[in-house]
PDB file of all heavy atoms in Angstrom:
ATOM      1  N   THR A   4     -16.352 -22.572  29.327  1.00  0.00           N
ATOM      2  CA  THR A   4     -17.164 -22.776  30.534  1.00  0.00           C
ATOM      3  C   THR A   4     -17.392 -21.419  31.239  1.00  0.00           C
ATOM      4  O   THR A   4     -16.471 -20.598  31.319  1.00  0.00           O
ATOM      5  CB  THR A   4     -16.467 -23.737  31.529  1.00  0.00           C
ATOM      6  OG1 THR A   4     -15.219 -23.162  31.944  1.00  0.00           O
ATOM      7  CG2 THR A   4     -16.225 -25.089  30.903  1.00  0.00           C
ATOM      8  N   ASP A   6     -18.908 -20.328  34.840  1.00  0.00           N
ATOM      9  CA  ASP A   6     -19.450 -20.731  36.133  1.00  0.00           C
ATOM     10  C   ASP A   6     -19.635 -19.490  37.022  1.00  0.00           C
ATOM     11  O   ASP A   6     -19.119 -18.400  36.719  1.00  0.00           O
ATOM     12  CB  ASP A   6     -18.474 -21.706  36.828  1.00  0.00           C
ATOM     13  CG  ASP A   6     -18.433 -23.066  36.146  1.00  0.00           C
ATOM     14  OD1 ASP A   6     -19.511 -23.675  36.003  1.00  0.00           O
ATOM     15  OD2 ASP A   6     -17.347 -23.497  35.742  1.00  0.00           O
ATOM     16  N   ALA A  17     -23.937 -16.461  28.525  1.00  0.00           N
ATOM     17  CA  ALA A  17     -23.540 -17.711  27.849  1.00  0.00           C
ATOM     18  C   ALA A  17     -24.370 -17.907  26.566  1.00  0.00           C
ATOM     19  O   ALA A  17     -23.849 -18.283  25.514  1.00  0.00           O
ATOM     20  CB  ALA A  17     -23.715 -18.894  28.782  1.00  0.00           C
ATOM     21  N   LEU A  29     -25.282 -24.782  26.547  1.00  0.00           N
ATOM     22  CA  LEU A  29     -25.813 -25.724  27.542  1.00  0.00           C
ATOM     23  C   LEU A  29     -26.019 -25.005  28.888  1.00  0.00           C
ATOM     24  O   LEU A  29     -25.100 -24.434  29.429  1.00  0.00           O
ATOM     25  CB  LEU A  29     -24.839 -26.899  27.732  1.00  0.00           C
ATOM     26  CG  LEU A  29     -25.258 -27.966  28.737  1.00  0.00           C
ATOM     27  CD1 LEU A  29     -26.576 -28.644  28.330  1.00  0.00           C
ATOM     28  CD2 LEU A  29     -24.167 -29.019  28.909  1.00  0.00           C
ATOM     29  N   THR A  31     -26.734 -25.871  32.431  1.00  0.00           N
ATOM     30  CA  THR A  31     -26.756 -27.061  33.294  1.00  0.00           C
ATOM     31  C   THR A  31     -27.628 -26.879  34.526  1.00  0.00           C
ATOM     32  O   THR A  31     -28.126 -27.847  35.096  1.00  0.00           O
ATOM     33  CB  THR A  31     -25.326 -27.480  33.705  1.00  0.00           C
ATOM     34  OG1 THR A  31     -24.740 -26.418  34.457  1.00  0.00           O
ATOM     35  CG2 THR A  31     -24.480 -27.819  32.518  1.00  0.00           C
ATOM     36  N   ALA A  37     -34.704 -29.567  36.494  1.00  0.00           N
ATOM     37  CA  ALA A  37     -35.596 -30.579  35.946  1.00  0.00           C
ATOM     38  C   ALA A  37     -35.706 -31.784  36.890  1.00  0.00           C
ATOM     39  O   ALA A  37     -36.782 -32.336  37.095  1.00  0.00           O
ATOM     40  CB  ALA A  37     -35.084 -31.033  34.569  1.00  0.00           C
ATOM     41  N   LEU A  47     -41.803 -36.444  46.307  1.00  0.00           N
ATOM     42  CA  LEU A  47     -40.714 -37.119  47.010  1.00  0.00           C
ATOM     43  C   LEU A  47     -40.135 -36.227  48.100  1.00  0.00           C
ATOM     44  O   LEU A  47     -40.112 -35.011  47.962  1.00  0.00           O
ATOM     45  CB  LEU A  47     -39.587 -37.414  46.034  1.00  0.00           C
ATOM     46  CG  LEU A  47     -39.695 -38.615  45.137  1.00  0.00           C
ATOM     47  CD1 LEU A  47     -38.355 -38.880  44.467  1.00  0.00           C
ATOM     48  CD2 LEU A  47     -40.087 -39.842  45.956  1.00  0.00           C
ATOM     49  N   ALA A  59     -33.623 -39.463  39.189  1.00  0.00           N
ATOM     50  CA  ALA A  59     -32.677 -38.852  38.237  1.00  0.00           C
ATOM     51  C   ALA A  59     -32.166 -39.866  37.237  1.00  0.00           C
ATOM     52  O   ALA A  59     -31.926 -39.541  36.055  1.00  0.00           O
ATOM     53  CB  ALA A  59     -31.504 -38.217  38.991  1.00  0.00           C
ATOM     54  N   LEU A  65     -33.879 -33.536  27.493  1.00  0.00           N
ATOM     55  CA  LEU A  65     -33.396 -33.097  26.176  1.00  0.00           C
ATOM     56  C   LEU A  65     -33.518 -31.600  26.042  1.00  0.00           C
ATOM     57  O   LEU A  65     -34.462 -30.995  26.581  1.00  0.00           O
ATOM     58  CB  LEU A  65     -34.284 -33.724  25.066  1.00  0.00           C
ATOM     59  CG  LEU A  65     -34.294 -35.247  24.902  1.00  0.00           C
ATOM     60  CD1 LEU A  65     -35.330 -35.617  23.887  1.00  0.00           C
ATOM     61  CD2 LEU A  65     -32.898 -35.718  24.476  1.00  0.00           C
ATOM     62  N   LEU A  71     -36.303 -26.946  27.444  1.00  0.00           N
ATOM     63  CA  LEU A  71     -35.959 -28.196  28.157  1.00  0.00           C
ATOM     64  C   LEU A  71     -37.153 -29.158  28.121  1.00  0.00           C
ATOM     65  O   LEU A  71     -38.246 -28.814  28.614  1.00  0.00           O
ATOM     66  CB  LEU A  71     -35.537 -27.924  29.587  1.00  0.00           C
ATOM     67  CG  LEU A  71     -34.853 -29.148  30.209  1.00  0.00           C
ATOM     68  CD1 LEU A  71     -33.753 -28.750  31.170  1.00  0.00           C
ATOM     69  CD2 LEU A  71     -35.844 -30.047  30.935  1.00  0.00           C
ATOM     70  N   ASP A  77     -42.503 -30.115  27.904  1.00  0.00           N
ATOM     71  CA  ASP A  77     -41.729 -28.878  27.893  1.00  0.00           C
ATOM     72  C   ASP A  77     -41.886 -28.212  29.273  1.00  0.00           C
ATOM     73  O   ASP A  77     -42.955 -27.705  29.601  1.00  0.00           O
ATOM     74  CB  ASP A  77     -42.253 -27.958  26.775  1.00  0.00           C
ATOM     75  CG  ASP A  77     -41.398 -26.689  26.635  1.00  0.00           C
ATOM     76  OD1 ASP A  77     -40.696 -26.337  27.629  1.00  0.00           O
ATOM     77  OD2 ASP A  77     -41.434 -26.060  25.597  1.00  0.00           O
ATOM     78  N   ILE A  93     -31.065 -28.295  46.576  1.00  0.00           N
ATOM     79  CA  ILE A  93     -31.006 -29.485  47.467  1.00  0.00           C
ATOM     80  C   ILE A  93     -30.633 -30.730  46.646  1.00  0.00           C
ATOM     81  O   ILE A  93     -29.708 -31.460  46.996  1.00  0.00           O
ATOM     82  CB  ILE A  93     -32.367 -29.697  48.172  1.00  0.00           C
ATOM     83  CG1 ILE A  93     -32.700 -28.471  49.048  1.00  0.00           C
ATOM     84  CG2 ILE A  93     -32.338 -30.979  49.036  1.00  0.00           C
ATOM     85  CD1 ILE A  93     -34.072 -28.495  49.674  1.00  0.00           C
ATOM     86  N   LEU A 104     -25.883 -36.319  35.848  1.00  0.00           N
ATOM     87  CA  LEU A 104     -25.977 -35.124  34.997  1.00  0.00           C
ATOM     88  C   LEU A 104     -24.630 -34.757  34.380  1.00  0.00           C
ATOM     89  O   LEU A 104     -24.581 -34.327  33.232  1.00  0.00           O
ATOM     90  CB  LEU A 104     -26.562 -33.945  35.810  1.00  0.00           C
ATOM     91  CG  LEU A 104     -28.007 -34.122  36.258  1.00  0.00           C
ATOM     92  CD1 LEU A 104     -28.573 -32.845  36.837  1.00  0.00           C
ATOM     93  CD2 LEU A 104     -28.917 -34.613  35.131  1.00  0.00           C
ATOM     94  N   ASP A 114     -17.265 -33.730  20.786  1.00  0.00           N
ATOM     95  CA  ASP A 114     -17.090 -33.367  19.368  1.00  0.00           C
ATOM     96  C   ASP A 114     -17.887 -32.160  18.926  1.00  0.00           C
ATOM     97  O   ASP A 114     -18.478 -32.156  17.834  1.00  0.00           O
ATOM     98  CB  ASP A 114     -17.494 -34.565  18.453  1.00  0.00           C
ATOM     99  CG  ASP A 114     -16.694 -35.794  18.786  1.00  0.00           C
ATOM    100  OD1 ASP A 114     -15.518 -35.648  19.127  1.00  0.00           O
ATOM    101  OD2 ASP A 114     -17.268 -36.892  18.723  1.00  0.00           O
ATOM    102  N   LEU A 117     -18.870 -25.660  22.220  1.00  0.00           N
ATOM    103  CA  LEU A 117     -19.913 -25.498  23.243  1.00  0.00           C
ATOM    104  C   LEU A 117     -19.602 -24.355  24.202  1.00  0.00           C
ATOM    105  O   LEU A 117     -18.456 -24.195  24.640  1.00  0.00           O
ATOM    106  CB  LEU A 117     -20.002 -26.818  24.033  1.00  0.00           C
ATOM    107  CG  LEU A 117     -21.003 -26.865  25.198  1.00  0.00           C
ATOM    108  CD1 LEU A 117     -22.444 -26.963  24.648  1.00  0.00           C
ATOM    109  CD2 LEU A 117     -20.741 -28.104  26.064  1.00  0.00           C
ATOM    110  N   LYS A 135     -12.085 -20.672  30.303  1.00  0.00           N
ATOM    111  CA  LYS A 135     -12.899 -20.808  31.522  1.00  0.00           C
ATOM    112  C   LYS A 135     -13.109 -19.441  32.161  1.00  0.00           C
ATOM    113  O   LYS A 135     -12.154 -18.710  32.379  1.00  0.00           O
ATOM    114  CB  LYS A 135     -12.171 -21.673  32.535  1.00  0.00           C
ATOM    115  CG  LYS A 135     -11.944 -23.108  32.092  1.00  0.00           C
ATOM    116  CD  LYS A 135     -11.302 -23.904  33.199  1.00  0.00           C
ATOM    117  CE  LYS A 135     -10.937 -25.295  32.731  1.00  0.00           C
ATOM    118  NZ  LYS A 135     -10.263 -26.053  33.774  1.00  0.00           N
ATOM    119  N   LYS A 156     -42.317 -11.945  35.254  1.00  0.00           N
ATOM    120  CA  LYS A 156     -43.263 -13.069  35.201  1.00  0.00           C
ATOM    121  C   LYS A 156     -44.431 -12.854  36.178  1.00  0.00           C
ATOM    122  O   LYS A 156     -45.198 -13.761  36.460  1.00  0.00           O
ATOM    123  CB  LYS A 156     -42.530 -14.381  35.571  1.00  0.00           C
ATOM    124  CG  LYS A 156     -41.569 -14.806  34.452  1.00  0.00           C
ATOM    125  CD  LYS A 156     -40.954 -16.153  34.726  1.00  0.00           C
ATOM    126  CE  LYS A 156     -40.193 -16.116  36.007  1.00  0.00           C
ATOM    127  NZ  LYS A 156     -39.571 -17.343  36.416  1.00  0.00           N
ATOM    128  N   LEU A 165     -35.239 -12.031  48.904  1.00  0.00           N
ATOM    129  CA  LEU A 165     -34.422 -12.655  47.848  1.00  0.00           C
ATOM    130  C   LEU A 165     -32.971 -12.816  48.283  1.00  0.00           C
ATOM    131  O   LEU A 165     -32.335 -13.838  48.018  1.00  0.00           O
ATOM    132  CB  LEU A 165     -34.498 -11.839  46.553  1.00  0.00           C
ATOM    133  CG  LEU A 165     -35.766 -12.070  45.733  1.00  0.00           C
ATOM    134  CD1 LEU A 165     -35.823 -11.095  44.560  1.00  0.00           C
ATOM    135  CD2 LEU A 165     -35.853 -13.492  45.228  1.00  0.00           C
ATOM    136  N   ARG A 175     -25.324 -23.523  50.446  1.00  0.00           N
ATOM    137  CA  ARG A 175     -25.495 -24.930  50.076  1.00  0.00           C
ATOM    138  C   ARG A 175     -24.573 -25.282  48.910  1.00  0.00           C
ATOM    139  O   ARG A 175     -23.887 -26.294  48.891  1.00  0.00           O
ATOM    140  CB  ARG A 175     -26.937 -25.208  49.693  1.00  0.00           C
ATOM    141  CG  ARG A 175     -27.591 -26.205  50.602  1.00  0.00           C
ATOM    142  CD  ARG A 175     -28.944 -26.591  50.007  1.00  0.00           C
ATOM    143  NE  ARG A 175     -30.036 -26.146  50.843  1.00  0.00           N
ATOM    144  CZ  ARG A 175     -31.092 -25.473  50.423  1.00  0.00           C
ATOM    145  NH1 ARG A 175     -31.234 -25.129  49.164  1.00  0.00           N
ATOM    146  NH2 ARG A 175     -32.045 -25.154  51.253  1.00  0.00           N
ATOM    147  N   SER A 182     -18.317 -31.476  44.183  1.00  0.00           N
ATOM    148  CA  SER A 182     -18.252 -30.364  43.235  1.00  0.00           C
ATOM    149  C   SER A 182     -18.847 -29.060  43.768  1.00  0.00           C
ATOM    150  O   SER A 182     -19.801 -28.515  43.180  1.00  0.00           O
ATOM    151  CB  SER A 182     -18.986 -30.722  41.926  1.00  0.00           C
ATOM    152  OG  SER A 182     -18.320 -31.761  41.271  1.00  0.00           O
ATOM    153  N   PRO A 183     -18.316 -28.536  44.866  1.00  0.00           N
ATOM    154  CA  PRO A 183     -18.861 -27.260  45.383  1.00  0.00           C
ATOM    155  C   PRO A 183     -18.614 -26.133  44.394  1.00  0.00           C
ATOM    156  O   PRO A 183     -17.715 -26.246  43.556  1.00  0.00           O
ATOM    157  CB  PRO A 183     -18.072 -27.050  46.671  1.00  0.00           C
ATOM    158  CG  PRO A 183     -16.835 -27.840  46.517  1.00  0.00           C
ATOM    159  CD  PRO A 183     -17.161 -29.005  45.650  1.00  0.00           C
ATOM    160  N   LEU A 192     -11.594 -14.641  36.552  1.00  0.00           N
ATOM    161  CA  LEU A 192     -12.685 -14.115  37.384  1.00  0.00           C
ATOM    162  C   LEU A 192     -13.138 -12.763  36.861  1.00  0.00           C
ATOM    163  O   LEU A 192     -12.299 -11.869  36.629  1.00  0.00           O
ATOM    164  CB  LEU A 192     -12.204 -13.964  38.829  1.00  0.00           C
ATOM    165  CG  LEU A 192     -12.482 -15.138  39.768  1.00  0.00           C
ATOM    166  CD1 LEU A 192     -11.756 -16.379  39.342  1.00  0.00           C
ATOM    167  CD2 LEU A 192     -12.133 -14.771  41.191  1.00  0.00           C
TER     168      LEU A 192
END
Side-chain angles (χ1 to χ4, degrees):
T4 61
D6 290 304
L29 180 62
T31 61
L47 279 191
L65 295 173
L71 194 146
D77 185 339
I93 299 174
L104 295 190
D114 302 325
L117 179 73
K135 296 184 186 177
K156 290 186 299 179
L165 281 173
R175 242 190 246 130
S182 294
L192 266 64

